[in-house]
Amino acid sequence: MKKFDGVRSLDDLKKRAIEAGWKVDEKAYHEKHSDYVFLHEKTDNDVVVAVNTFNGHFFVYNRVTDENLATHLSAEFDNEPWYSEILNIINKPSKSQTEGAL
């Protein structure tokens, strides 16, 4: 399982998500004072990533069928590009990973 050094700020998370092709829905965050923002419409209009901005926990689900596809604990997807992308959008890289890259 990948290691990270905390959750990105909402502005950084939003910037990275948009750069990766996601749309970001902050309505619940701003209007209902929720900890969640939602990423959607990257590849499939039915797939949504609900992100807790406080602790970085997330779940990926199909909004039509309500099927849970993955969560922040789905280590079996660590080598899948789509899952790594979500992890990197939400989390700050571990200092040991960035130091090793130098």
Side-chain angles (χ1 to χ4, degrees):
M1 184 169 236
K2 293 183 177 188
K3 303 285 184 200
F4 296 96
D5 282 341
V7 181
R8 295 184 188 278
S9 69
L10 178 57
D11 288 340
D12 193 16
L13 185 154
K14 182 178 171 181
K15 176 183 161 229
R16 289 172 181 279
I18 291 169
E19 286 174 354
W22 293 91
K23 291 187 180 181
V24 180
D25 179 354
E26 301 174 82
K27 187 175 180 178
Y29 182 85
H30 291 295
E31 294 179 10
K32 298 180 182 179
H33 307 288
S34 169
D35 288 335
Y36 282 89
V37 296
F38 300 87
L39 311 180
H40 59 97
E41 293 187 30
K42 164 100 185 208
T43 57
D44 183 334
N45 289 338
D46 298 337
V47 173
V48 176
V49 182
V51 180
N52 184 307
T53 60
F54 177 73
N55 60 22
H57 294 184
F58 67 90
F59 55 96
V60 183
Y61 67 97
N62 182 305
R63 102 172 85 209
V64 174
T65 65
D66 224 17
E67 176 187 8
N68 186 23
L69 306 172
T71 73
H72 61 284
L73 298 174
S74 299
E76 69 271 24
F77 295 124
D78 273 355
N79 293 322
E80 296 291 334
W82 63 270
Y83 189 78
S84 290
E85 177 180 87
I86 294 168
L87 288 173
N88 291 323
I89 287 170
I90 298 169
N91 300 291
K92 296 176 186 175
S94 168
K95 287 184 176 88
S96 62
Q97 288 179 352
T98 54
E99 289 170 0
L102 296 176

